[in-house]
Amino acid sequence: MTAENDGTGATPQGDDPFGYLYRQEGGEGSPATQSGVPRRSYNQVRAVGERQYGGYGGYGSGPGTQQTAAYGQQPNAHYAAPETMTGGRAVTPQPAPGDGGYGGGHGGGRGGGGSRNGLLIGALAVVAAVVVGIGAAIYFNSSPGDDEGRAGASAGAEGGKGQEEKPGSQKPRKGKQIGKKQDAATFQLAGGASAQSDVSGAQSSDGSYVGAMNATGASATWSSADVPKAGIYTLYVRYGIPGKDADATLTVNGRPASQPLDMSNWGGQVKEGDWEHGWMSTYAWVDLKEGANTFKISCEDGNKCDFNLDQVWLKAGKLR
């Protein structure tokens, strides 16, 4: 038995319990049935996928769009049950470009912005690769002569013409000798000091030295070679003693040093009176100006002046 009949084959008449809802005002009974069209129950069975629901039409459809069909007519359904699709499963509709779904809408949605960003990043990567390649080509294709030329230019800037150092050009390296060793016998002598050559062992060019320094006021004065840069230098003095300690006053540019120039018999290695084996060296730190400087070794009150002078020389920095 179906919902359309009562089991006898006759069309049910007047069995509508809700007929009063659509009767004409003041009328009685139900409206007349249409000829040739059997009245159907309101709770009729429909085939799966036949009914079309109103409301939103899914992806791409605007809100509030109702799709209805006349009573008794088969609607043109856009919805189909999963069981009616090929394979027995529902197929999710994909939104077309420009629809209201993801990827469409204003500005192309998410997909449009990502695509442009990807193209921009790719272009920048290509440019960076080209720049790196050009730099590598220039580096590896440069000839060895280029580096040699740069090194030669740097050395020339430091050493000047023929490695010649000029006053004020640069500070000399520590321990570098400034000028040549100077023979004391060539200095300006005063106070009874004199050039002598009786004692052997002097290293001057002609074997002479300055003697007779054991009198107050005896002195030897000289000027240094041009000093390239102002600063602290070490003055070396070669002297001779007769096996006993001595000292003198050192004056630099008119200023006497606070400490006497020590000319000791180091370790007592020379016997007293042995002038020939009494040649030794001492040093003093001096603060010099750039250019020429004046030195004087003299016998002053309080000094022990029994000594001879052989040579002097300068080196840069504080040395021992």
Side-chain angles (χ1 to χ4, degrees):
M1 181 176 67
T2 67
E4 298 186 10
N5 54 63
D6 57 2
T8 61
T11 300
Q13 298 292 334
D15 63 347
D16 187 357
F18 301 102
Y20 71 93
L21 294 177
Y22 47 84
R23 292 195 184 101
Q24 295 180 357
E25 186 177 356
E28 295 181 359
S30 60
T33 58
Q34 296 181 4
S35 176
V37 180
R39 188 172 66 86
R40 304 168 64 93
S41 172
Y42 294 100
N43 295 324
Q44 57 185 328
V45 178
R46 296 178 180 272
V48 175
E50 176 181 316
R51 181 179 298 277
Q52 173 64 30
Y53 296 95
Y56 290 89
Y59 290 103
S61 300
T65 303
Q66 294 283 351
Q67 296 181 0
T68 60
Y71 182 80
Q73 296 181 358
Q74 180 69 26
N76 183 17
H78 293 283
Y79 170 83
E83 293 81 353
T84 63
M85 304 301 291
T86 303
R89 294 186 179 182
V91 178
T92 303
Q94 298 296 326
D99 285 348
Y102 294 116
H106 180 68
R110 300 180 182 177
S115 177
R116 287 194 296 272
N117 291 339
L119 291 176
L120 178 58
I121 294 173
L124 293 177
V126 171
V127 172
V130 171
V131 171
V132 171
I134 293 175
I138 293 175
Y139 177 83
F140 288 108
N141 290 333
S142 60
S143 61
D146 295 339
D147 294 336
E148 294 175 0
R150 287 191 291 269
S154 177
E158 293 179 357
K161 296 181 180 180
Q163 303 296 325
E164 179 182 355
E165 291 185 355
K166 296 182 179 180
S169 60
Q170 62 177 0
K171 185 176 181 180
R173 69 179 184 275
K174 185 176 181 180
K176 178 179 176 57
Q177 183 170 311
I178 307 302
K180 297 179 180 180
K181 291 183 178 181
Q182 295 176 274
D183 296 339
T186 64
F187 296 164
Q188 182 181 349
L189 305 179
S194 62
Q196 300 178 6
S197 58
D198 298 339
V199 179
S200 62
Q203 293 183 355
S204 62
S205 58
D206 59 358
S208 61
Y209 54 89
V210 175
M213 291 290 297
N214 56 350
T216 301
S219 65
T221 303
W222 76 97
S223 293
S224 69
D226 288 340
V227 174
K229 200 77 173 178
I232 301 299
Y233 291 78
T234 302
L235 173 67
Y236 290 91
V237 178
R238 190 170 191 266
Y239 63 94
I241 53 173
K244 58 182 179 180
D245 296 339
D247 60 52
T249 298
L250 173 64
T251 302
V252 179
N253 295 324
R255 298 179 59 183
S258 58
Q259 297 292 331
L261 182 63
D262 190 2
M263 292 184 284
S264 298
N265 180 19
W266 303 110
Q269 55 183 322
V270 180
K271 294 180 180 181
E272 188 174 350
D274 188 0
W275 287 90
E276 184 176 350
H277 296 92
W279 296 107
M280 301 181 186
S281 296
T282 188
Y283 66 90
W285 294 329
V286 292
D287 190 0
L288 304 181
K289 63 182 180 179
E290 184 177 326
N293 292 263
T294 301
F295 302 86
K296 183 176 74 169
I297 295 177
S298 61
C299 181
E300 307 293 343
D301 292 338
N303 292 139
K304 296 178 286 186
C305 304
D306 202 5
F307 61 86
N308 294 327
L309 291 178
D310 184 14
Q311 289 181 314
V312 297
W313 62 96
L314 280 174
K315 287 188 177 182
K318 282 186 174 183
L319 305 173
R320 297 181 181 275

